[in-house]
Amino acid sequence: MEKANYQGLVVWQKAMDLTAVIYKLVKKLPKEELFALSDQMRRSAVSIPSNIAEGWDRNTDKEFVRFLTISRGSKAELETQLLICVKVGYLNETDILEAMDLSTEVGKMLNSLINKLKPTDYRLPTTN
């Protein structure tokens, strides 16, 4: 894969959009969650594009895939935190819809990129 700039990756751009959405959403959480759930949500969201960028600059497909899988894990963590917010009544399903849709889109892009970079015999089935 030709190395240019990670900022040109659509998956990185979408992950940045997701991060911005999360930063807006956590402002709706109660003040007592300022240093708990909201902080963890911001960290999870920031981790997604950050790991894409870091993996890109590692200059090997193997390392890039490793960091893409970390991004995928952070995405799953973030989705869980959003669902926790709904479950405990801090947010409703409408509040998290945009974030969940973006997260799903980022997940599909991550899976596609991982599968493109992995040798054929190591590819995993794509999931959300």
Side-chain angles (χ1 to χ4, degrees):
M1 175 175 245
E2 180 182 321
K3 298 288 181 186
N5 186 327
Y6 63 86
Q7 294 177 17
L9 295 171
V10 175
V11 67
W12 179 85
Q13 295 167 6
K14 292 287 184 177
M16 291 291 286
D17 292 344
L18 175 58
T19 302
V21 167
I22 294 304
Y23 267 75
K24 290 176 188 167
L25 263 181
V26 297
K27 290 179 181 177
K28 294 182 173 188
L29 299 181
K31 294 286 185 224
E32 67 264 17
E33 288 297 334
L34 183 60
F35 298 109
L37 190 56
S38 62
D39 185 54
Q40 189 60 41
M41 289 171 67
R42 285 190 300 266
R43 287 174 188 265
S44 297
V46 167
S47 177
I48 301 167
S50 297
N51 278 293
I52 294 167
E54 184 173 355
W56 177 269
D57 272 358
R58 292 293 177 123
N59 290 321
T60 69
D61 286 352
K62 183 178 179 180
E63 281 288 291
F64 191 26
V65 167
R66 186 168 75 85
F67 280 88
L68 291 173
T69 59
I70 293 168
S71 289
R72 190 170 59 188
S74 294
K75 178 204 76 77
E77 184 180 359
L78 177 61
E79 289 172 347
T80 299
Q81 293 155 356
L82 287 166
L83 293 171
I84 289 169
C85 285
V86 171
K87 189 146 188 98
V88 299
Y90 292 157
L91 299 171
N92 61 49
E93 290 186 15
T94 304
D95 291 330
I96 68 166
L97 185 62
E98 181 182 10
M100 291 298 277
D101 286 348
L102 268 171
S103 184
T104 298
E105 186 176 3
V106 167
K108 288 177 181 178
M109 291 175 155
L110 287 169
N111 286 336
S112 177
L113 191 51
I114 289 166
N115 280 330
K116 179 180 175 186
L117 295 171
K118 272 189 168 183
T120 306
D121 49 336
Y122 292 107
R123 292 185 184 168
L124 299 173
T126 56
T127 60
N128 287 344

